[in-house]
Amino acid sequence: MDEREIFRLVVNYVIFLMWFISMHVMIAYQAGVWTKGAADDMQRQQWVIADPLMAAFGDEIEEDAVRNRSGVKSVAYIQGLEVFVQKKQVVRDTRKRRTKGWAMLFAHMAGFAAINAGG
C-alpha cells in the first residue's frame, strides 16, 4: 500500500467514526438522557383521538369530553361527533418514535460509511 491508499483508508474510517458517534449522541438526545425531569413527563397519560381515518388522529383532547373515563378506551364527543379515543402515554410514544427514526437514519449512514471504508 502506498501513502495515498493509507491516507484514504484513514479518512474513510474517520468519516465512519463520525457517523457512528453522531448516531449515539442523537439517540441519547432523543431518548432524553440529558433532559432533566424527562421521566416524569413520560409516565403522564392523556386521552387522544384513536380513529386513524380522522385528520386529528393522535391529537390530545380534554378529559371532560370523554364519555367513560374508567377504562383505557372510550368514546368522546368532539364538535358534535362521537369519536373513538384511548388513553396513551403521549410523550413516551412521541419520544420513542423519534428515537427510532433518528437511530435508523444514522445507523444506515454509519453502515454505508463502514462499507465505503472497506468493510
Side-chain angles (χ1 to χ4, degrees):
M1 292 177 100
D2 64 343
E3 288 182 19
R4 291 182 74 194
E5 289 179 1
I6 293 173
F7 179 74
R8 185 174 173 201
L9 184 66
V10 169
V11 168
N12 284 334
Y13 273 105
V14 167
I15 291 171
F16 161 69
L17 287 173
M18 179 197 68
W19 284 114
F20 190 72
I21 291 169
S22 298
M23 175 185 67
H24 285 283
V25 169
M26 184 56 73
I27 290 171
Y29 175 73
Q30 288 295 327
V33 172
W34 298 312
T35 308
K36 205 172 198 178
D40 299 336
D41 259 0
M42 290 181 62
Q43 300 301 323
R44 184 177 61 89
Q45 291 190 342
Q46 179 69 29
W47 287 100
V48 296
I49 296 175
D51 188 356
L53 297 177
M54 292 189 66
F57 176 72
D59 288 353
E60 296 182 16
I61 62 168
E62 295 180 18
E63 193 167 345
D64 298 337
V66 179
R67 184 189 309 171
N68 182 11
R69 298 181 194 107
S70 64
V72 189
K73 296 181 179 182
S74 185
V75 175
Y77 294 107
I78 301 172
Q79 298 175 355
L81 292 173
E82 287 186 341
V83 178
F84 294 114
V85 294
Q86 77 182 77
K87 207 170 204 180
K88 290 177 69 175
Q89 295 173 328
V90 178
V91 175
R92 185 185 131 247
D93 291 345
T94 302
R95 187 169 288 167
K96 187 176 179 182
R97 185 177 61 248
R98 288 181 181 165
T99 302
K100 282 183 179 181
W102 283 107
M104 184 70 69
L105 175 68
F106 278 97
H108 277 83
M109 294 302 291
F112 292 135
I115 290 170
N116 191 40

